[in-house]
Amino acid sequence: MSYFAEPYKIKVVEPIKMTTREERIQAIKEAGYNTFLLKSEDVYIDLLTDSGTSAMSDNQWAGMMLGDEAYAGSRNFYNLEKAIQDVYGFPYVVPTHQGRGAENIISSLLIKPGDYVPGNMYFTTTRAHQERNGGTFVDIIIDEAHDPAVEIPFKGNVDLNKLEDLINRVGADKIPYISVAVTVNLAGGQPVSMANLRDVHTLAKKHGIRVIFDATRAVENAFFIKEREEGYADKSIKEIVREIFSYADGCTMSAKKDNLVNIGGFLALREEEIYEEATEMLVLFEGFPTYGGLAGRDMEALARGTYEMIDEAYIAHRVGQVRYLGDQLINAGIPVMRPIGGHAVFLDARAFLSHLDQEEFPAQSLAAALYVDSGVRGMERGIVSAGRDIKTGENHKPRLELVRLTIPRRVYTDRHFDVVAESVINLYEKREEIPGLKFVYEPKTLRFFTGSFEPTKKSPIFE
Ligand SMILES: Cc1ncc(COP(=O)(O)O)c(C=O)c1O
């Protein structure tokens, strides 16, 4: 499958502002060297996240006009329910305002204090909800996932030995569910193979443990399976997605990614009893069961996006565009997470800024420097995102210290990515000048969102 031009044409455009270097130096200073705190209008090419940043289609916008905003029984809920049942194969659907709404419900329902929740690498909000309910997250991803240079096709796989060791050590009754992300965001958008999902499911069932998937980027995962795993080349993306979810008891979903909407999420379940408990929590924290956290029009856009995301041309182009940027950087010798994943290109800040200690926040500093250089906004995914150990108070020190350049869906053209590549290459040439950062304000939870920093020394990069 080669990379072809966009399988869509542009009907509406949104102008973006060009800024001067002086303006950007001022803006990053005011933002405390945290790209989350920049004003979007000061950003030229926004690669902060692929979450909620997709361009919706004309068909989705048309659906927005068909929003049925009834408090109960909105027709858009039934369209959404049908789409999720059809595409993912779960009978019970709980609409939430976004992914963490679903994480809140499932973690509160299933986790008891003292439990362990194994997962293929942590995700920030997912782990925060598990810990909030008294669970301890245990990383069971294969070791290779923690090494940015190792090039293997399914770097998001679960290490079955690690999983089995945990079950033997703490006992199955202390494991409310196994949490499997397809693909793995913080490992670089790396996929999990179908064989591995099947094996995890078999092992879990042997011990009577539930398996809950984080479905956020499962269509991208399905594309990699089609491309890389024997026996799947001739299957449709829809068939592969259905098989993926046949190995789960439920999933949490941030629909702001795969499903091409700006807001939305859901919890989908196979067990009626858990569904009933989930709807009880839903009415407390989100809303009535037929809208949860969403307006009728948003549910309609989500129902339609759920079909658009499994279009073969769409998903091939989507992953191809991420690779288009990644390959330019690889060809220029820039250290990036290999292989290029499904939603983002991750700069290996540890290798890029090898003169800095991890506690000088190299990825945070590199993201700030990239913004000053060209107005491109990326995000830190390293020691700042990893936070502190809730028991010892020490910084978690993840092996991966990355800057994520996340590609919004159907938003930018390849020319934008040429500009991004040029800027990263330019910075690499003067990397020694990029200074470390220190905290000025450190929030207690999810500190990467609102923490602020200052450079540890004067540098021409920020002046
Ligand atoms: C893998 C993964 N899980 C969960 C979430 C949380 O979803 P939301 O931001 O919609 O609350 C995200 C969002 O970035 C994610 O990437």
Side-chain angles (χ1 to χ4, degrees), residues 51 98-101 103 123 125-126 185 214 216-217 254 256-257 264:
S51 183
Q98 56 182 72
R100 67 200 72 182
E103 289 171 351
F123 182 73
T125 58
T126 319
N185 186 350
D214 180 332
T216 298
R217 297 181 183 84
S254 172
K256 299 166 74 177
K257 282 81 163 177

Side-chain angles (χ1 to χ4, degrees), residues 13-27:
V13 295
E14 177 184 349
I16 44 182
K17 194 169 101 182
M18 315 285 284
T19 49
T20 64
R21 183 180 166 82
E22 287 64 39
E23 285 168 335
R24 294 194 294 273
I25 287 174
Q26 188 57 30

